[in-house]
Amino acid sequence: MKDGAKRQTILLTGLNGLIRALGFLLRVMMSRILGAEVMGIAELAQSVHMLAITPLTSGLPLAISRLTAKEQKENKVFPLMAGMSLVRQLSLVLIPPFLILSPALARLSGDVRVLPSLWFTAPCMLILGYSGAYNGYCYGTRRSYLPAVSELTEQTLRMGFTLLLLPVLGRLSVAWLAAVPVAATMVAEVIGLGLVVLVLRLPTIRGSSINKWKKPIVRLAAPATATRLIHTLLRSATAIIIPMRLVASGLPASEATARLGMLNGMVFPLMMLPCIFTGALSMVMIPRLAQSEENARSCKEMLLKLFAAGLLVSLVCMGCLILLAPFIAVKIYRLAELQALLLAASPLCFLCAAENLTGGAIAALGLQKYSMYGSIPSSLLALLLTWMLTSRPELRLLGVILSQCIGHGFGIAWNGGVIVRWWRSHQANSPL
């Protein structure tokens, strides 16, 4: 890995670590202020929120980053402008139906108290779509620090607004209390996007000059978007299924919602800690791999370094989580029963990071559609196992964790197969 890539990865890892630390701190404080039941409602709303923003935020940044990296300096702004035009068009198509269907989506989620949160989600679709387009441009021009600084600004403001509003609005109903973080997120995202626009000060280009860029963006973004949409849809379905199956195991409905808040709001976010590094590493390496994809030997060297660094960090994080599980459960969350869940879920530290790395490598090589073919069975397998295992009284949340481990393992095996196939196809031409 070259010095420039190392510096950017270290910088992004530090900034992303601070962002995650603030998010973790916010979750801890919210869990203490609001309790597990409100956290469960917030997690249900978050699942629908992620599903709503996925069409505008998943594949678009990767496509713009790849196209921008491969273009000459004077043409690098065109993919961004074309992407922003696509965001506007998709927002006009998606936001009105989402608002109309919000009551039905709330009922479908299993708890109608998520409705206020869904109303605040609608404007986030346009805002985050624009942010994703600008992020792709920044990564493609190797200004990767700017999206991280913007996100750090957003996270800081989100935490400040949330902690300021919750005491003031403490008499609100449970439904509106759960919506406060979403409203704070919406305001913070506007400010973060404004920061990026002010720093870049790019010329605005409209008309036919950008239309020719839309088709390549759609072609590159569609597989990644479909993959993320499938994962998010099934994750939302999982969030709905877990309380249902916990009730089937013998728990009351309120306790089932609280258990969902414990798992999705307290345990699973910690499993994503290695992705602070692997995500930064992938975003730094994607444009570099795209620029050198004609040189198979260079690509292979970068892939080896990518996997070696990322997997080592993920193993260290998993070990630290195992050692610190008692402290996190008792001292931070003040829920001793979390310790067993943290220990059981610790393998997800490695599995999530490995899937993140292999997915990033596939995206950099322009092979997203092959990754999509494996995401469907892996996600369906995890969902099916969650349905089967969570209702067993002796397993409950442990069944969810086991299902996720198996699903991620299948996804890693599939992505690994795609990468090995690419590797072998280039072996004869440029051996290492």
Side-chain angles (χ1 to χ4, degrees):
M1 198 185 303
K2 295 182 179 179
D3 289 341
K6 288 181 180 178
R7 285 194 296 270
Q8 288 192 49
T9 302
I10 292 171
L11 175 63
L12 284 183
T13 300
L15 289 172
N16 288 342
L18 183 55
I19 291 166
R20 293 294 181 93
L22 290 173
F24 177 68
L25 178 61
L26 178 59
R27 283 179 178 272
V28 171
M29 297 182 75
M30 284 176 57
S31 67
R32 292 184 178 183
I33 296 171
L34 300 176
E37 184 177 2
V38 177
M39 290 293 290
I41 296 169
E43 287 302 321
L44 285 173
Q46 178 70 6
S47 298
V48 181
H49 175 89
M50 294 302 297
L51 183 61
I53 67 174
T54 292
L56 295 167
T57 61
S58 53
L60 190 66
L62 292 175
I64 292 175
S65 174
R66 181 176 169 82
L67 291 173
T68 302
K70 294 171 73 67
E71 282 302 319
Q72 299 296 321
K73 183 177 180 180
E74 61 273 12
N75 293 330
K76 288 185 181 295
V77 74
F78 286 99
L80 169 62
M81 295 301 160
M84 291 173 64
S85 177
L86 287 170
V87 167
R88 289 192 293 272
Q89 293 170 5
L90 284 170
S91 296
L92 287 173
V93 173
L94 295 175
I95 291 178
F98 180 82
L99 287 171
I100 294 171
L101 294 174
S102 288
L105 291 172
R107 289 193 295 271
L108 186 62
S109 73
D111 196 322
V112 294
R113 291 176 293 180
V114 305
L115 182 57
S117 299
L118 301 188
W119 288 335
F120 287 114
T121 290
C124 292
M125 296 164 70
L126 175 63
I127 300 164
L128 287 174
Y130 272 149
S131 294
Y134 272 103
N135 289 349
Y137 172 82
C138 291
Y139 288 120
T141 56
R142 301 194 181 183
R143 284 184 268 193
S144 51
Y145 70 92
L146 189 53
V149 171
S150 173
E151 190 173 350
L152 177 60
T153 302
E154 292 172 11
Q155 187 71 291
T156 304
L157 292 173
R158 175 174 177 254
M159 184 171 71
F161 290 150
T162 301
L163 297 180
L164 178 66
L165 291 173
L166 282 176
V168 175
L169 304 175
R171 295 185 179 181
L172 290 177
S173 66
V174 169
W176 283 99
L177 283 175
V180 169
V182 187
T185 299
M186 180 187 68
V187 177
E189 286 165 356
V190 172
I191 298 173
L193 175 60
L195 173 65
V196 175
V197 173
L198 287 174
V199 171
L200 291 177
R201 295 184 179 275
L202 297 173
T204 301
I205 302 172
R206 300 181 184 276
S208 58
S209 59
I210 64 170
N211 288 335
K212 69 175 183 178
W213 297 92
K214 292 182 179 180
K215 188 174 180 180
I217 289 175
V218 172
R219 179 176 58 82
L220 287 172
T225 301
T227 300
R228 183 67 64 82
L229 193 62
I230 292 166
H231 278 298
T232 307
L233 180 62
L234 293 176
R235 179 185 172 187
S236 300
T238 301
I240 296 170
I241 284 173
I242 290 173
M244 292 171 54
R245 302 307 287 166
L246 288 174
V247 170
S249 75
L251 292 178
S254 59
E255 178 65 15
T257 302
R259 293 288 182 95
L260 174 66
M262 288 171 53
L263 186 68
N264 284 4
M266 302 175 193
V267 176
F268 281 167
L270 291 172
M271 303 304 117
M272 302 301 292
L273 283 177
C275 294
I276 295 172
F277 177 76
T278 59
L281 187 60
S282 296
M283 292 310 297
V284 169
M285 298 305 292
I286 281 174
R288 287 169 169 79
L289 283 166
Q291 287 176 328
S292 61
E293 67 179 340
E294 300 301 325
N295 186 338
R297 178 169 183 171
S298 177
C299 281
K300 290 176 182 180
E301 289 175 349
M302 281 191 276
L303 284 173
L304 286 175
K305 293 175 180 177
L306 177 77
F307 294 141
L311 295 180
L312 176 61
V313 169
S314 67
L315 286 172
V316 171
C317 286
M318 184 176 73
C320 290
L321 183 63
I322 292 172
L323 292 174
L324 294 174
F327 175 81
I328 294 171
V330 177
K331 299 297 184 181
I332 296 180
Y333 280 118
R334 298 177 183 173
L335 289 171
E337 58 189 304
L338 276 180
Q339 181 177 342
L341 292 177
L342 289 170
L343 292 173
S346 59
L348 285 171
C349 261
F350 178 81
L351 295 173
C352 290
E355 191 166 23
N356 183 261
L357 281 171
T358 55
I362 288 172
L365 297 172
L367 304 173
Q368 296 98 315
K369 67 178 181 180
Y370 298 107
S371 179
M372 179 183 68
Y373 299 150
S375 69
I376 298 174
S378 64
S379 298
L380 286 174
L381 176 62
L383 183 66
L384 177 62
L385 290 173
T386 299
W387 177 271
M388 294 171 58
L389 299 179
T390 308
S391 62
R392 298 175 67 91
E394 69 274 18
L395 291 177
R396 289 177 175 158
L397 292 183
L398 294 178
V400 180
I401 293 170
L402 179 60
S403 303
Q404 292 299 312
C405 288
I406 294 172
H408 283 294
F410 186 94
I412 293 166
W414 181 274
N415 287 347
V418 172
I419 294 171
V420 168
R421 182 180 178 185
W422 174 89
W423 187 285
R424 288 178 176 174
S425 69
H426 291 76
Q427 189 70 28
N429 296 328
S430 58
L432 284 174

